Amino acid sequence: FLQVGRSTESPIDFVVTDTISGSPNNDETQITQSTISRFACRIVCERSPPYTARIFAAGFDSSKNIFLGEKAAKWKNPDGHMDGLTTNGVLVMHPKGGFTEESKPGVWREISVCGDVYTLRETRSAQQRGKLVENETNVLQDGSLIDLCGATLLWRTADGLFHTPTQKHIEALRQEINAARPQCPVGLNTLAFPSINRKDVVEEKQPWAYLSCGHVHGYHNWGHRSDTEANERECPMCRTIGPYVPLWLGCEAGFYVDAGPPTHAFTPCGHVCSEKSAKYWSQIPLPHGTHAFHAACPFCATQLSGEHNCIKLIFQGPID
């Protein structure tokens, strides 16, 4: 039994705060008004195999009562028991095909206090609940996404994580790509992805890429197209104009759907991972605000943009 929410009171086991898009560390940006419920949801796991986990909206407070805000939708079901939704809702999406290379996005649903499944409300906090979806359940699967309106959680099972690449594997991929000594095609200097611990400071040898074409370079200060668009640069290799950013290896192993080499970058943040992982996350619509959905980088939550939300990187090997 696990309770999730914004409250730091003792009944909450897992305290969540609002995710700030594109922020590597959330210290600098304070959320003034959180949209996450204090007692957002609870997850109940069976103690015997197959250890089924079910999700329910809202949580029990210290007096063992279900805690719902004043504005939360509540109703009585035909059989007489009460049910309700949290103020901004607990949304769940189960990907089709689990969390694998072949997975496709599923449909977002809302979960009630009693664990029933509903279609989405018109907006996150609308008083009118959606339609009951009778043939779907609140059972979490490997790769299920839980959205609490301000933070999205990824549910992984022990079996799913057993097949996921480890931190060691990602480090081996980093060393392998660096051992191939990719070069800047203009400066001819050798490039290297910084160690995963150094993920805030741009290093001298760090690879940079033009995100419209994927050509990888070292840092240089030319190619600006205009004073107004600070990050619109012209690639010296193919003359394509677009953002020019440092590349970072995505280091959270749980987000990878396969163990492939880091060949693709999300646009516009420059986080790099395997092709299948990049393509998977680039097509997942994550809830945003009260009624919008957009794809986001799993590593930094930046809203994705560009033609396909990610780009294949073109590295130049050493000339010698």
Side-chain angles (χ1 to χ4, degrees):
F1 184 77
L2 174 78
Q3 295 216 139
V4 181
R6 177 170 52 89
S7 170
T8 52
E9 291 176 43
S10 58
I12 295 294
D13 307 288
F14 186 64
V15 178
V16 284
T17 54
D18 297 70
T19 302
I20 297 155
S21 168
S23 172
N25 46 7
N26 293 351
D27 308 342
E28 299 163 27
T29 338
Q30 285 297 312
I31 286 278
T32 46
Q33 189 66 51
S34 177
T35 46
I36 300 171
S37 295
R38 283 188 286 161
F39 293 81
C41 68
R42 60 202 193 281
I43 295 167
V44 181
C45 300
E46 288 177 6
R47 289 174 181 266
S48 50
Y51 308 111
T52 305
R54 296 176 182 276
I55 185 167
F56 301 82
F60 291 100
D61 61 17
S62 45
S63 56
K64 296 189 170 59
N65 291 319
I66 282 288
F67 185 91
L68 279 176
E70 284 174 33
K71 296 177 184 170
K74 308 170 191 74
W75 65 90
K76 188 180 274 194
N77 279 324
D79 63 1
H81 77 260
M82 292 296 295
D83 204 349
L85 306 169
T86 60
T87 307
N88 291 319
V90 173
L91 309 189
V92 172
M93 190 267 276
H94 308 298
K96 294 171 190 160
F99 195 69
T100 66
E101 304 174 16
E102 311 307 322
S103 301
K104 293 280 179 284
V107 180
W108 283 98
R109 301 292 195 207
E110 180 159 14
I111 305 295
S112 76
V113 171
C114 295
D116 287 336
V117 180
Y118 287 85
T119 59
L120 300 191
R121 292 179 259 182
E122 214 165 282
T123 61
R124 285 300 286 249
S125 56
Q127 282 297 302
Q128 185 61 43
R129 66 183 185 271
K131 292 189 178 74
L132 182 66
V133 185
E134 295 192 21
N135 61 343
E136 293 182 24
T137 73
N138 61 340
V139 173
L140 293 171
Q141 306 163 12
D142 188 38
S144 291
L145 288 166
I146 303 163
D147 188 83
L148 305 175
C149 196
T152 307
L153 311 178
L154 171 65
W155 178 263
R156 297 301 314 267
T157 60
D159 186 52
L161 286 172
F162 183 73
H163 296 98
T164 293
T166 59
Q167 208 71 46
K168 250 187 194 155
H169 178 77
I170 293 173
E171 176 57 21
L173 290 174
R174 184 186 79 86
Q175 290 182 11
E176 198 178 314
I177 207 166
N178 288 351
R181 293 174 53 228
Q183 284 195 340
C184 174
V186 178
L188 301 183
N189 48 317
T190 302
L191 308 173
F193 277 97
S195 81
I196 283 166
N197 313 328
R198 301 286 309 262
K199 58 177 184 286
D200 291 332
V201 186
V202 180
E203 297 193 351
E204 197 183 341
K205 285 185 166 185
Q206 189 140 355
W208 286 61
Y210 286 89
L211 294 182
S212 294
C213 57
H215 280 113
V216 178
H217 290 70
Y219 178 70
H220 50 245
N221 201 20
W222 64 76
H224 291 280
R225 297 301 295 165
S226 68
D227 297 334
T228 48
E229 279 295 333
N231 204 21
E232 286 290 294
R233 304 272 200 102
E234 183 179 271
C235 172
M237 297 295 287
C238 66
R239 320 286 290 180
T240 306
I241 294 164
Y244 175 64
V245 300
L247 298 177
W248 306 93
L249 197 57
C251 59
E252 178 48 71
F255 294 148
Y256 284 74
V257 297
D258 70 332
T263 55
H264 284 61
F266 289 109
T267 58
C269 60
H271 276 105
V272 178
C273 63
S274 68
E275 177 179 8
K276 285 180 174 167
S277 299
K279 290 190 171 168
Y280 174 75
W281 286 105
S282 65
Q283 60 183 348
I284 294 284
L286 295 175
H288 179 70
T290 57
H291 51 265
F293 289 82
H294 61 61
C297 170
F299 303 106
C300 68
T302 298
Q303 183 174 341
L304 300 182
S305 60
E307 203 176 327
H308 303 292
N309 292 337
C310 62
I311 185 88
K312 183 179 186 345
L313 296 171
I314 304 165
F315 287 93
Q316 176 164 301
I319 287 167
D320 44 62

